[in-house]
Amino acid sequence: MKSKGTAILTALLLGITLMWTSPIAEAQPPYAKWGKIAMQQTMKTYPNAKVVDYLHVGRKTKTPTTSEETFKLLLQENNRMRALLVHIEFETKTEKVLKVRFEETR
């Protein structure tokens, strides 16, 4: 016969395991792929900067076949802070990246 404490511990561990393996826990927002590209391209262009904040601004349709995801990143390089908009233009159906554009902002 198991003790009450062992049963509670088993139930708790089972609950944690289900939470970690549940699809809900692993779900990512639809813009996650584009955010990763924005970060990678920013690090290539600003190799000495550190990204200290990140915001998904949104997606817009550019033409009937292309879209654009925009992110705002706050970069720190030495003692200088810089706000940067990263625009990623891509083919809507294939998601092929066409252009990545940087725009310094406030």
Side-chain angles (χ1 to χ4, degrees):
M1 183 168 145
K2 290 185 179 180
S3 72
K4 191 174 188 178
T6 305
I8 291 172
L9 182 59
T10 302
L12 180 62
L13 289 173
L14 179 60
I16 290 170
T17 302
L18 290 174
M19 184 175 68
W20 278 340
T21 59
S22 125
I24 294 171
E26 295 175 11
Q28 292 186 353
Y31 58 82
K33 169 187 176 176
W34 305 109
K36 183 176 179 181
I37 292 170
M39 298 282 276
Q40 290 170 340
Q41 293 299 313
T42 299
M43 292 296 93
K44 284 182 184 176
T45 305
Y46 300 88
N48 298 319
K50 178 182 174 185
V51 177
V52 295
D53 201 6
Y54 162 100
L55 172 70
H56 175 243
V57 176
R59 176 185 283 205
K60 69 179 182 181
T61 301
K62 299 272 291 181
T63 70
T65 59
T66 62
S67 298
E68 181 179 272
E69 288 281 359
T70 302
F71 297 86
K72 185 172 185 177
L73 281 65
L74 184 60
L75 306 180
Q76 181 178 7
E77 189 170 0
N78 299 320
N79 292 329
R80 181 172 182 227
M81 297 296 275
R82 170 187 318 201
L84 187 69
L85 288 174
V86 182
H87 305 277
I88 304 169
E89 186 175 340
F90 60 95
E91 291 178 358
T92 307
K93 285 187 180 182
T94 65
E95 295 190 339
K96 177 184 174 189
V97 175
L98 301 173
K99 181 177 10 174
V100 178
R101 183 170 55 85
F102 298 97
E103 175 185 356
E104 288 199 28
T105 186
R106 291 182 176 238

